[in-house]
Every structure is written in structure tokens, then in C-alpha cells.
């Protein structure tokens, strides 16, 4: 549990627009982000119960296929390169920057049809 001082610091960051709670994107305070994250998590669990394992798996597959159509082969390939660089303590973007590896994120953007 975070101390009162830590919570005040996190709340100040949240009020400046930073996401300080995973899943709390959009919350304007620490408390708001905590509530958003909990609600989203609960909603995800409920949906998983409704669909069952196979339904949830199929939903993820369809989402991946849709994204692949949106960004095309090159974009998907570039996204995979970035993801392949990630480790447990660093994101793919952080590793790419540290190691001077060029990742063209413009390829990730949805193509206009």
C-alpha cells in the first residue's frame, strides 16, 4: 500500500494528465483512475464469463485480424519487431531507443481506405 505522501504525489501526476494506475486512462485524479481500472477489470472478467474461453479466444483473434487489415503487412511486421525487443523490465520502444534500433511507428497507424 502506498504511503500518504506517495498517494499525494501520484494524485498530482494524475491531475496533470499522467496515467498512474494501469487501466486508469482518462481519470483526472488518483482515485478516479483507481475506480476506472477496477470497473474495466470487472467488466473484462464479466465478458470473459459470458463468452467462455473459446469465445474470448475468438474475440481476440478477430481483433488481431482487424488490426492487421488496418495497418497492412508492413505495419504488422514492424509492430512485431518492436514487441520482440521487449523484456520483463523494458518495453520494446525503450530497448530500441537504447540500442539505436530504428522502429517506424508511422507504419502502425491505420491506413486510409
Amino acid at each position: 500500500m502506498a504511503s500518504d505522501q506517495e498517494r499525494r504525489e501520484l494524485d498530482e501526476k494524475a491531475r496533470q494528465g499522467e496515467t498512474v494506475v494501469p487501466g486508469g486512462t482518462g481519470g483526472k485524479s488518483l482515485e478516479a483512475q483507481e475506480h476506472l481500472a477496477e470497473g474495466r477489470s470487472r467488466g473484462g472478467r464479466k465478458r470473459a464469463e459470458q463468452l467462455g474461453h473459446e469465445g474470448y479466444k475468438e474475440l481476440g483473434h478477430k481483433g488481431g485480424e482487424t488490426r492487421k487489415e488496418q495497418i497492412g503487412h508492413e505495419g504488422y511486421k514492424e509492430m512485431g519487431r518492436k514487441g520482440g525487443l521487449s523484456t520483463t523490465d523494458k518495453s520494446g520502444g525503450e530497448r530500441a531507443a537504447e540500442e539505436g534500433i530504428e522502429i517506424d511507428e508511422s507504419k502502425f497507424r491505420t491506413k486510409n481506405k
Side-chain angles (χ1 to χ4, degrees), residues 4-51:
D4 287 344
Q5 177 63 32
E6 290 169 324
R7 288 189 61 80
R8 280 193 296 275
E9 290 171 7
L10 289 173
D11 188 56
E12 182 57 36
K13 287 181 178 182
R15 290 178 189 282
Q16 293 172 3
E18 188 176 328
T19 299
V20 296
V21 177
T25 304
K28 303 297 182 203
S29 69
L30 175 60
E31 187 176 6
Q33 288 189 18
E34 289 170 336
H35 285 282
L36 281 167
E38 177 60 31
R40 289 174 176 149
S41 176
R42 198 175 309 132
R45 284 193 304 269
K46 185 69 175 174
R47 188 69 175 138
E49 286 173 21
Q50 292 169 341
L51 295 172

Side-chain angles (χ1 to χ4, degrees), residues 51-95:
L51 295 172
H53 176 73
E54 287 301 315
Y56 212 63
K57 189 174 166 184
E58 180 64 21
L59 190 67
H61 179 76
K62 284 182 180 178
E65 288 298 314
T66 299
R67 188 68 181 135
K68 187 175 177 182
E69 289 171 16
Q70 289 172 340
I71 63 176
H73 176 75
E74 281 299 312
Y76 217 66
K77 189 171 153 186
E78 195 72 1
M79 190 183 297
R81 265 181 26 120
K82 183 178 179 182
L85 292 170
S86 66
T87 62
T88 54
D89 60 330
K90 291 186 182 162
S91 72
E94 289 171 327
R95 282 229 17 242

